[in-house]
Amino acid sequence: MQRLLRPSLSEVWAIVAIALPLLLTMAARMGSVDLTYHLRAGAMMLDSGALLRSDTFTFTAVGAPWIDQQWLSQIALAQVFRIGGWLALAMLRFGLAALALVSVYAACRARGAAVRPAAW
C-alpha cells in the first residue's frame, strides 16, 4: 500500500509522459470543417455501398473524376459517428492518441532509453 501512495520519480515521469499529452488532447477542440467533410463522404459511401468516384463537394468541379485517397478512414469515421456520435469520435481520438503515446514510450524503453529521456 505504501508503494502505491509514493511512486518513484521514474514512475512519475512515465505517468506524466502519457497523461499530460492525453489531457491536452481531451481539452483541444476537434476541427469541424475537415472532420464533417470526411464524415459526410463516409456516410455517402456507407449509404451507397460504393466508393466516391466523382467530386460531389466542390461547386467548381462537381461531377469531375476524383480519386478519394482517404476513403477507408472516411468510412471508419462515419461508422464510429453512426454508432456513438461526437462522443464516440472524441473517445476514438483519445484512444488513438493514447496508443501512439504508449507505443512511442515503449519503443524508446525497448531501445534502452532510461525512463526520463523516454518520457521526453
Side-chain angles (χ1 to χ4, degrees):
M1 186 65 170
Q2 180 85 9
R3 177 91 171 110
L4 291 174
L5 298 176
R6 298 190 68 201
S8 69
L9 186 58
S10 63
E11 290 169 332
V12 171
W13 275 107
I15 291 167
V16 168
I18 304 299
L20 184 60
L22 286 178
L23 288 173
L24 294 173
T25 299
M26 288 188 329
R29 291 178 181 226
M30 285 192 286
S32 64
V33 175
D34 285 344
L35 179 58
T36 52
Y37 160 79
H38 290 298
L39 290 175
R40 180 68 180 132
M44 290 173 68
M45 288 184 275
L46 286 172
D47 292 341
S48 69
L51 298 178
L52 296 177
R53 300 280 184 204
S54 62
D55 191 341
T56 58
F57 301 110
T58 309
F59 76 93
T60 57
V62 171
W66 178 52
I67 298 174
D68 185 4
Q69 298 172 344
Q70 294 86 22
W71 66 270
L72 184 58
S73 63
Q74 291 167 342
I75 291 171
L77 288 172
Q79 189 62 42
V80 169
F81 185 75
R82 285 183 177 184
I83 291 169
W86 294 108
L87 178 60
L89 287 175
M91 290 171 52
L92 175 65
R93 182 174 80 160
F94 179 85
L96 291 174
L99 178 65
L101 291 166
V102 169
S103 297
V104 169
Y105 178 77
C108 291
R109 294 288 289 143
R111 296 288 293 181
V115 173
R116 191 172 178 177
W120 278 104

